[in-house]
């Protein structure tokens, strides 16, 4: 009997504790919305722009990475060979351009001589010292010299275009070589390692997935009556199941303009109340920076959102972490 009585007292104590911490707390939430969810973090895919063989993967799943850190490398032997080939073609194009410049100088000299011959023939023809055939011959030579010079100048323009095209190819190849290094675009943690050293990666193929830990949030759903009172920037607090005595400061960063759950027909107020809207509650970035290494996603939690800006946070939501 004593054991049974002791057992009953323990159960009553647990029930009392439950009512004190949960029922009593909820009774002090006038002016607030409460919703359950899990911590989420933005996932960033680290993909290869070009196809190639992975020669280095410098991180493992769970590793913390810094923004700009090299996470993996693609073999660039083929790109380096292509670069040298294009450089050779460019050098040849430059030599061709130099040759074309020499031809232009030659044609300019020939045009100058043809112009002098024509001017002399013109004077002689006017004085009737030479026949018409001789005058027309000099005129034709002058016209042909001008055509030849224009053709040589066109060749220069063509040579310039070829050199510019090779410059563009060289720049593109250099960019491809640089982008064979896969950098982390953000400070975060490696979630998945999809490809291993030695594997062939296709264009756009995923190599790693990194969590952007500074973009950690909760997605919750609120009914119409509450969602209509929530604005972007509204204060919120998140309480993790694992750490129930700490309230994490946050703000509403998104309120869906569309209902997520919609009855087939919406005719009465009661049916409209069944509409649920997705709300994103984002943890303060400064806090995430300080506790960066301790951030874990997927943890169940409860989000409390202010519906009335004049509402005062209850005592159990005022124990905030230092940051």
């Amino acid at each position: 009997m004593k054991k049974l009585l002791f057992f009953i007292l323990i159960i009553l104590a647990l029930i009392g504790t439950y009512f004190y911490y949960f029922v009593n707390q909820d009774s002090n939430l006038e002016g607030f919305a409460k919703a359950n969810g899990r911590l989420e973090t933005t996932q960033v895919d680290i993909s290869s722009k070009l196809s190639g063989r992975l020669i280095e993967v410098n991180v493992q799943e769970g590793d913390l990475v810094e923004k700009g850190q090299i996470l993996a490398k693609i073999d660039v032997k083929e790109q380096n060979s292509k670069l040298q080939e294009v450089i050779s073609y460019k050098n040849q194009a430059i030599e061709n351009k130099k040759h074309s410049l020499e031809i232009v100088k030659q044609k300019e000299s020939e045009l100058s001589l043809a112009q002098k011959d024509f001017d002399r023939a013109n004077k002689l023809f006017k004085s009737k010292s030479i026949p018409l055939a001789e005058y027309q011959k000099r005129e034709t030579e002058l016209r042909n010299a001008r055509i030849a010079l224009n053709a040589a100048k066109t060749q220069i323009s063509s040579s310039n275009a070829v050199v510019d095209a090779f410059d563009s190819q060289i720049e593109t190849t250099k960019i491809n070589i640089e982008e064979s290094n896969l950098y982390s675009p953000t400070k975060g943690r490696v979630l998945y390692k999809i490809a291993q050293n030695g594997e062939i990666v296709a264009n756009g193929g995923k190599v790693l997935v990194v969590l952007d830990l500074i973009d950690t949030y909760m997605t919750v759903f609120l009914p119409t009556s509450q969602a209509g009172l929530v604005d972007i920037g509204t204060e919120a607090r998140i309480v993790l199941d694992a750490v129930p005595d700490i309230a994490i400061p946050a703000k509403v960063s998104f309120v869906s303009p569309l209902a997520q759950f919609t009855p087939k027909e919406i005719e009465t107020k009661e049916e409209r109340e069944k509409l649920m809207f997705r709300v994103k509650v984002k943890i303060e970035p400064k806090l995430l920076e300080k506790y960066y290494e301790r951030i874990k996603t997927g943890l169940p939690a409860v989000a409390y959102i202010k519906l009335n800006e004049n509402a005062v946070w209850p005592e159990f939501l005022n124990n905030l972490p230092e940051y």
Side-chain angles (χ1 to χ4, degrees), residues 214-255:
I214 308 304
D215 188 15
T216 300
Y217 58 91
M218 268 186 69
T219 298
V220 298
F221 294 90
L222 298 180
T224 303
S225 59
Q226 294 181 340
L229 300 175
V230 176
D231 296 319
I232 304 298
T234 296
E235 275 190 84
R237 302 278 167 86
I238 294 174
V239 178
L240 300 174
D241 289 2
V243 193
D245 56 335
I246 299 293
I248 301 171
K251 288 185 179 179
V252 173
S253 62
F254 174 80
V255 179

Side-chain angles (χ1 to χ4, degrees), residues 137-151:
K137 178 182 177 182
R138 301 303 176 190
E139 185 180 34
T140 300
E141 289 175 351
L142 176 61
R143 184 166 54 252
N144 290 340
R146 287 173 177 167
I147 292 172
L149 178 59
N150 289 335

Side-chain angles (χ1 to χ4, degrees), residues 90-308:
K90 177 189 173 182
N91 292 335
Q92 182 61 50
I94 291 173
E95 292 301 319
N96 292 339
K97 178 181 176 182
K98 289 179 180 179
H99 179 66
S100 298
L101 287 171
E102 293 298 326
I103 293 176
V104 167
K105 290 180 181 180
Q106 178 185 344
K107 297 304 178 184
E108 286 175 342
S109 178
E110 291 175 357
L111 176 61
S112 177
L113 179 60
Q115 184 68 55
K116 290 177 181 179
D117 289 343
F118 173 78
D119 292 342
R120 184 165 48 252
N122 188 37
K123 291 179 181 179
L124 293 173
F125 178 71
K126 287 180 179 180
S127 64
K128 298 183 179 181
S129 299
I130 59 172
L132 176 61
E134 183 67 22
Y135 170 78
Q136 289 177 335
K137 178 182 177 182
R138 301 303 176 190
E139 185 180 34
T140 300
E141 289 175 351
L142 176 61
R143 184 166 54 252
N144 290 340
R146 287 173 177 167
I147 292 172
L149 178 59
N150 289 335
K153 288 182 177 180
T154 300
Q155 187 61 40
I156 292 294
S157 299
S158 177
S159 296
N160 286 333
V162 171
V163 172
D164 291 342
F166 284 132
D167 280 335
S168 297
Q169 289 185 41
I170 289 171
E171 185 63 26
T172 300
T173 306
K174 287 181 177 179
I175 291 173
N176 289 339
I177 291 173
E178 174 60 25
E179 291 189 349
S180 67
N181 296 322
L182 306 184
Y183 298 90
S184 174
T186 184
K187 184 177 181 179
R189 187 184 298 275
V190 178
L191 178 62
Y192 299 122
K193 182 179 177 182
I194 299 172
Q196 305 294 332
N197 286 343
E199 291 186 12
I200 300 296
V201 181
N203 292 349
K206 290 183 185 180
V207 178
L208 298 158
V209 177
V210 173
L211 294 174
D212 182 1
L213 297 179
I214 308 304
D215 188 15
T216 300
Y217 58 91
M218 268 186 69
T219 298
V220 298
F221 294 90
L222 298 180
T224 303
S225 59
Q226 294 181 340
L229 300 175
V230 176
D231 296 319
I232 304 298
T234 296
E235 275 190 84
R237 302 278 167 86
I238 294 174
V239 178
L240 300 174
D241 289 2
V243 193
D245 56 335
I246 299 293
I248 301 171
K251 288 185 179 179
V252 173
S253 62
F254 174 80
V255 179
S256 175
L258 300 174
Q260 305 296 311
F261 307 109
T262 309
K264 292 182 180 179
E265 295 181 3
I266 305 175
E267 297 179 354
T268 66
K269 181 178 179 181
E270 289 74 14
E271 287 174 330
R272 291 196 297 272
E273 284 297 323
K274 295 177 183 178
L275 296 175
M276 300 293 285
F277 291 82
R278 183 167 63 92
V279 177
K280 186 175 177 181
V281 181
K282 187 175 179 180
I283 299 175
E284 292 287 352
K286 289 183 179 179
L287 179 64
L288 294 171
E289 285 279 1
K290 181 172 181 179
Y291 296 96
Y292 167 69
E293 296 184 1
R294 299 174 61 183
I295 299 171
K296 297 180 179 67
T297 58
L299 295 178
V302 180
Y304 299 87
I305 304 171
K306 267 191 178 184
L307 301 179
N308 182 349

